[in-house]
C-alpha cells in the first residue's frame, strides 16, 4: 500500500516586483580576490592593533577531573605577564551558555565560559594568561600549577550507555543528553507485516572543520564611552554579540562585534559560541587594555568543536520489487562534554528518509554525553551520517533481491510532480518536513548516464575474472537549507552616490562582496560598479543570525532583493519630484537616474543624495521626498528549502593494501536558482573535497580515558590535491517557491553523500568476498579487515 | 652578530632582504621566521595554519627555495633573500599566476592562498607543469580546505603555458 503524497495548496512566492536577471546567473569573478592574492587580506591576526596584549589558555590535561586548586603565583611573577585569570577570577561572567538548538527534554549540563570546579574534556580552558607576547604567555602556562583529582572518563557513546558506567558529569542523572523520536505512519505494524526486512549497524565518524584559519578573538574597551569593540573570526556575529550582552549584562548596543572582512574558513565550528569568546573581551574590559587570542592548531584539534561518531542501527522493510514500506533507525550521537547545540543529531533524525517515499518511519536519537570536546556542525551537519545509513541499506536491498542498486532507488524516488512533499515527520526548524521542489529522478539518471554505469558494470565483470576489484557506488540525498528565522540587509544610497548594501551575515570565502552586489544590481537595475557590500558587523545592522546550514543565499538574497527594490522606488520618487515629473518611467544609466524614453532628462545619483540625504540646513525638504535614502528588509522564510543531489563513484580496491583509487566520480547538484555559477561550482567541489576526507581519511582517535590521540596533521589526514579526485559536475535548477530568488543552498551538497557513495562502491568492489563495509571512513585497515580470512568467489 | 641579552632573553640583530628590499630587526632568538615577517616587518600576507610544517600556509621562498616559515627561526634567515606574496605583483597589477588564480576561482577564503602562490612560484621556476597529475603533485605540499583544488590545477597549467609557451596536455 503506497501512501499518497499529501498536497498542500499551491505555494505562492512572496510578493516581489519583477526584475531582470543580468547579473544573477553570471560567472562574475570576485572582488575579494585582489587583496587576498596580494597579501593584503584582513584576517583577524593580520589587522593592525597596536599595543594589544596576547592571551594564552591553560587547558585541562584530563578528560574528567575535579579542580581542587590553582596556583598562579609563579606565572604572575614571569616578566611580561600582565594578568592571570582562573574561573574563580571570572565569577561575574560564570553563567551557563545555553545550547544553540535545544529540546524540551534536554538534560542540559551547564557549560561555563571557563571551568570552575571540574573539567569535562581534555582541552577545556582552566585559566588564561595575558602577556606582552604569545611566546611569554605560553611560557607562563607552564608555571601554573593545577591540582586535579582525576575521575573516570567516558570515551564513546557505547561507554556512555553501558550498564553501570560512570557519569561523564557528576550530578547528572545519566549520560543521555536527550532522547528524541520521530514517527510517521505505523512502523511497528508495517514491519510486522512486511515481506522482507533487513537490518544493519553502521558507525560513521566525521572529523572537525579544520578551517585553515583557527579561531581568533580580539577586544578593546573604550572607557570614555563604555563601548566594547570585539573582533571575532566568527560565522555568527549577532549570535556572539547577544551571548556577550547576556553574559556581561550590558546593553546590546554597547557591544559592537565585527567579523573581519576576511575569515579563513568556518564550516560550522565557528558558528558556535565558545568560552574563549566570552573570556577575552571580559579580560580586556577588566584590564582596560586591548587583548587578542589567536588559537593555534594544537588547540584547534582538541578544543574546537567537531563532529565525531554516530552509531546507526537501521532496519528497512520492503516488498518483492524493492519498494520501501518502513524505515527504522535508532542511533547514538556523541554529543561531547556539553551540549553546545543539538542541531547535528536533530538534523540526522529527520534526514534519514532522504528522497524516498516511505510511508512508515521511526527515527530515534540517543544523544550521549562523553568526556570529549563538544560536537557541533561541520559541513554536512549530521546529514552525511543519515545518508550513509539509508544509502547503504538501499544497496543491501538491491543485493538481497538481485536488483540493480540504481533501479531500486529509481523505484522509490519522490517524483517531480509530487511537490510540495510531506515526509510525515518534523524538521529541525520546527516545521513539518516538507520538500519544496526538485527532480530526483533526473539527478539519478544524470549521474548514472555520465558515469557510464553500464560500461563500468561490464568492465567490472571482466576485470573481476582477472582478480581486480572494481566497485560502483551511488548515493542520493536531500538537504534542508535556507533556514530561518530570518536574515537582514540594508541598502543605502550614500552621499557619494554609490549604493551600500549592508549584510548582517559574515562570509568565510563564499564571495558575499560579489554575489550580493550581483543581486542588488538586478534588483535595482543599476550597474554593479556603483554597488558595494559590507558584512558581519553588529554596529551597522542590529539583527542577524549567521552563516551556517547553507542558508544565506536563500535568506539574505531575498532580503537584499527587497531592500534594493524599495531603495530604487525611493530614488525614483525623489528624482521625479526633483524633475517635477511622474515617477513611473525612470531607469538608471551609469550614475544617473533618467527617463527611459529620453535619457537626457535626469539627475545624477549624487544630486539625489544632496536632496534626500544631505538637505539644505534649515530649509524645508521638497514636498514628497522621502528623507534619508536607506531601506532595510528582513526575510523570514516560511520554512526550510530543500536542495538535492546524487553522487556516483567508480573505484578500484587493492585487496592487499586496502587502498582505494577513485577512477571516476560524478556529481549531480540542484540548488535552485544559481546566482554565480563559478562560485556555486567552487562550493560543490570544495564540499566534495571535505566529503572525500570524511569518506576515506579523516578520523580522530581517543583512548579509553578519552585522551586525544590525533592532535596534529601528522596524525590526521586532510585531503591534498593528490587525494581529491577529478569530478564531473552537472547542475539542474529546481527553483524554490519559498523565496523570490528561487534560491536554495549550495555549501554542503558536495560533502553530504560522499561517504555513502565511497562505502557503497567499496562494498560493491568486495562483493566477491561477501564482505561488509559498515564503518566510515573507509580506510585501508577496514578494507583489509573486511576481507580477512575470506576467499573471493567470482561468477 | 652580537647577542644582546636583556631580562634573561637572547636577542639578535637580523638583516634580511625581503622582496628585494633590505630589512633589519632585533629579535628574540626563538622568534620564528613567520612571526618576524608578520609582526616585525608587518608583512601579514604569510599566514600560520598549523605551525608544524604540514599545511603550507606559511610557505615563503628563501634564497629561491620554498621553506616553511613556521619551522624556521628568524635568525636562521639572517643574510638571506626572502620572497613573500607581497612581492609577487607589481603595485596593483597581478602577476600571471595571481591573475590565473583570479580567473579560475582558485581561492575562496584566501587564508591558504599566499602559501600556494609561493610554492607554485618555486615549482614553476624549476620547469613547466604540463599535465593535471603534475599540477596535483605541485599542489600536494599545501592544504586548502575551501576549494577542492580544481581551480588551482587550471591556474597552474595556464600559468605554466603562459610562462613556458608549451601547451598543457589535456
Amino acid at each position: 500500500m503506497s501512501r499518497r503524497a499529501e498536497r498542500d495548496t499551491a505555494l505562492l512566492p512572496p510578493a516581489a516586483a519583477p526584475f531582470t536577471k543580468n547579473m544573477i546567473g553570471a560567472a562574475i569573478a570576485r572582488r575579494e580576490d585582489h587583496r587576498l592574492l596580494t597579501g593584503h587580506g584582513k584576517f583577524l591576526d593580520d589587522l593592525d592593533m597596536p599595543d594589544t596584549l596576547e592571551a594564552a589558555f591553560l587547558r585541562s590535561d584530563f578528560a574528567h577531573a575535579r579542580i581542587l586548586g590553582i596556583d598562579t603565583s609563579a606565572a604572575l611573577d614571569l616578566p611580561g605577564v600582565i594578568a592571570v585569570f582562573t574561573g574563580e577570577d571570572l565569577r561575574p561572567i560564570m553563567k551557563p551558555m545555553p545550547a544553540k538548538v535545544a529540546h524540551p527534554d534536554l538534560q542540559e549540563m551547564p557549560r561555563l565560559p571557563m571551568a570552575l570546579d571540574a573539567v569535562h574534556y581534555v582541552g577545556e580552558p582552566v585559566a588564561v594568561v595575558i602577556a606582552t607576547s604569545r611566546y611569554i604567555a605560553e611560557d607562563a602556562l607552564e608555571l601554573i600549577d593545577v591540582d586535579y583529582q582525576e575521575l573516570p572518563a567516558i570515551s564513546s557513546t557505547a561507554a556512555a550507555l553501558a550498564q553501570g558506567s560512570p557519569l561523564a558529569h557528576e550530578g547528572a542523572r545519566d549520560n543521555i543528553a536527550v532522547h528524541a523520536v520521530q514517527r510517521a505512519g505505523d512502523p511497528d505494524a508495517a514491519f510486522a507485516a512486511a515481506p522482507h526486512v533487513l537490518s544493519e549497524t553502521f558507525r560513521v565518524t566525521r572529523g572537525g572543520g579544520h578551517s585553515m584559519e583557527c579561531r581568533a578573538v580580539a577586544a578593546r574597551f573604550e572607557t570614555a564611552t563604555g563601548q566594547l569593540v570585539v573582533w571575532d573570526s566568527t560565522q555568527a556575529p549577532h549570535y556572539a554579540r547577544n551571548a556577550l550582552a547576556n553574559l556581561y549584562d550590558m546593553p546590546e548596543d554597547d557591544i559592537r562585534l565585527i567579523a573581519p572582512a576576511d575569515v579563513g574558513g568556518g564550516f560550522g565550528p565557528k558558528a558556535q559560541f565558545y568560552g574563549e569568546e566570552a573570556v577575552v573581551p571580559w579580560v580586556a574590559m577588566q584590564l582596560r587594555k586591548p587583548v587578542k587570542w589567536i588559537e593555534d592548531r594544537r588547540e584547534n584539534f582538541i578544543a574546537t568543536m567537531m563532529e565525531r561518531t554516530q552509531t546507526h542501527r537501521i532496519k528497512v522493510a520492503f516488498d518483492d520489487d524493492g519498494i520501501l514500506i518502513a524505515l527504522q533507525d535508532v542511533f547514538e550521537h556523541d554529543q561531547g562534554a556539553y551540549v553546545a547545540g543539538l542541531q547535528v543529531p536533530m538534523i540526522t533524525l529527520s534526514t534519514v528518509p532522504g528522497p524516498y517515499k516511505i510511508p512508515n518511519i521511526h527515527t530515534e536519537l540517543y544523544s550521549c554525553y562523553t568526556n570529549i570536546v563538544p560536537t557541533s556542525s561541520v559541513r554536512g551537519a549530521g546529514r552525511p551520517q543519515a545518508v550513509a545509513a539509508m544509502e547503504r541499506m538501499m544497496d543491501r536491498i538491491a543485493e538481497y533481491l538481485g536488483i540493480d542498486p540504481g533501479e531500486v532507488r529509481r523505484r522509490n524516488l519522490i517524483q517531480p510532480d509530487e511537490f510540495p512533499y510531506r515526509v510525515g515527520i518534523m524538521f529541525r526548524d520546527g516545521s513539518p518536513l516538507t520538500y519544496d521542489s526538485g527532480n530526483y529522478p533526473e539527478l539519478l539518471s544524470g549521474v548514472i548516464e555520465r558515469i557510464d554505469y553500464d560500461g563500468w558494470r561490464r568492465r567490472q565483470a571482466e576485470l573481476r575474472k582477472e582478480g581486480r576489484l572494481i566497485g560502483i557506488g551511488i548515493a542520493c540525498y536531500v538537504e534542508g537549507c535556507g533556514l530561518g528565522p530570518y536574515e537582514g540587509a540594508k541598502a543605502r544610497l550614500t552621499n557619494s552616490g554609490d549604493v551600500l548594501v549592508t549584510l548582517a551575515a559574515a562570509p568565510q570565502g563564499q564571495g558575499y562582496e560579489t554575489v550580493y552586489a550581483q543581486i542588488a544590481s538586478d534588483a535595482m537595475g543599476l550597474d554593479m560598479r556603483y554597488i558595494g557590500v559590507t558584512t558581519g558587523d553588529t554596529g551597522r545592522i542590529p539583527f542577524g543570525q549567521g552563516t551556517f546550514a547553507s542558508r544565506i543565499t536563500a535568506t539574505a538574497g531575498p532580503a537584499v532583493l527587497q531592500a534594493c527594490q524599495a531603495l530604487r522606488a525611493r530614488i525614483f520618487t525623489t528624482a521625479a519630484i526633483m524633475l517635477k515629473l511622474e515617477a513611473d518611467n525612470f531607469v538608471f544609466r551609469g550614475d544617473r537616474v533618467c527617463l527611459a524614453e529620453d535619457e537626457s532628462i535626469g539627475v545624477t545619483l549624487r544630486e539625489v543624495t544632496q536632496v534626500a540625504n544631505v538637505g539644505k540646513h534649515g530649509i524645508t525638504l521638497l514636498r514628497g521626498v522621502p528623507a534619508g535614502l536607506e531601506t532595510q528588509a528582513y526575510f523570514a522564510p516560511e520554512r526550510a528549502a530543500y536542495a538535492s543531489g546524487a553522487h556516483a563513484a567508480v573505484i578500484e580496491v587493492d585487496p592487499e593494501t586496502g587502498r582505494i583509487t577513485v577512477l571516476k566520480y560524478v556529481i549531480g547538484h540542484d540548488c535552485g536558482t544559481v546566482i554565480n555559477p563559478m562560485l556555486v561550482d567552487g562550493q560543490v567541489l570544495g564540499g566534495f573535497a571535505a566529503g572525500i576526507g570524511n569518506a576515506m581519511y579523516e578520523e580522530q582517535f581517543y583512548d579509553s580515558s578519552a585522551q586525544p590521540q590525533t592532535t596534529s596533521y601528522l596524525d590526521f589526514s586532510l585531503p591534498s590535491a593528490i587525494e581529491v579526485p577529478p569530478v564531473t559536475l552537472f547542475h539542474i535548477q529546481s527553483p524554490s517557491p519559498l523565496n523570490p530568488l528561487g534560491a536554495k543552498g549550495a555549501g554542503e551538497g558536495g560533502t553530504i553523500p560522499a561517504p555513502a557513495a565511497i562505502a557503497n562502491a567499496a562494498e560493491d568492489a568486495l562483493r566477491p568476498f561477501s564482505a561488509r563495509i559498515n564503518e566510515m571512513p573507509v580506510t585501508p585497515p577496514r578494507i583489509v579487515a573486511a576481507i580477512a580470512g575470506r576467499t573471493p568467489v567470482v561468477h | 652578530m652580537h647577542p644582546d641579552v636583556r631580562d634573561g632573553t637572547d636577542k639578535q640583530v637580523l638583516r634580511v632582504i625581503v622582496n628585494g628590499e633590505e630589512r633589519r630587526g632585533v629579535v628574540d632568538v626563538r622568534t620564528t621566521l613567520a612571526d618576524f615577517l608578520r609582526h616585525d616587518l608587518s608583512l601579514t600576507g604569510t599566514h600560520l595554519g598549523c605551525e608544524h610544517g604540514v599545511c603550507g600556509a606559511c610557505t615563503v621562498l628563501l634564497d629561491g627555495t620554498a621553506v616553511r616559515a613556521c619551522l624556521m627561526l628568524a635568525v636562521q634567515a639572517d643574510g638571506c633573500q626572502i620572497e613573500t606574496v607581497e612581492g609577487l605583483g607589481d603595485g596593483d597589477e597581478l602577476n600571471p599566476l595571481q591573475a590565473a588564480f583570479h580567473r579560475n576561482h582558485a581561492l575562496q577564503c584566501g587564508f591558504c592562498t599566499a602559501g600556494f602562490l609561493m610554492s607554485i612560484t618555486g615549482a614553476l621556476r624549476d620547469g613547466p607543469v604540463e599535465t593535471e597529475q603534475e599540477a596535483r603533485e605541485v599542489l600536494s605540499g599545501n592544504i586548502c580546505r575551501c576549494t577542492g583544488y580544481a581551480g588551482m590545477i587550471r591556474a597552474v597549467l595556464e600559468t605554466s603555458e603562459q610562462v613556458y609557451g608549451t601547451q598543457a596536455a589535456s
Side-chain angles (χ1 to χ4, degrees), chain A residues 46-124:
Chain A
D46 297 349
L47 300 177
D48 185 19
M49 296 185 186
D51 305 322
T52 297
L53 300 172
E54 293 217 51
F57 282 87
L58 182 68
R59 298 181 181 279
S60 170
D61 296 319
F62 294 100
H64 192 195
R66 291 190 198 116
I67 297 175
L68 301 178
I70 307 182
D71 182 358
T72 61
S73 51
L76 283 162
D77 282 342
L78 186 69
V81 171
I82 306 300
V84 181
F85 293 82
T86 65
E88 285 294 338
D89 301 317
L90 297 167
R91 279 276 180 193
I93 61 163
M94 296 296 271
K95 301 175 199 169
M97 301 181 294
K100 196 173 193 195
V101 172
H103 188 282
D105 300 336
L106 175 62
Q107 177 185 202
E108 191 166 3
M109 303 312 295
R111 182 170 72 108
L112 301 175
M114 187 174 280
L116 197 52
D117 301 320
V119 289
H120 297 94
Y121 63 96
V122 170
E124 184 167 5

Side-chain angles (χ1 to χ4, degrees), chain A residues 161-179:
Chain A
L161 296 171
Q163 279 275 14
S165 61
L167 292 172
H169 279 263
E170 293 191 298
R173 181 186 69 223
D174 54 29
N175 291 323
I176 299 173
V178 77
H179 172 236

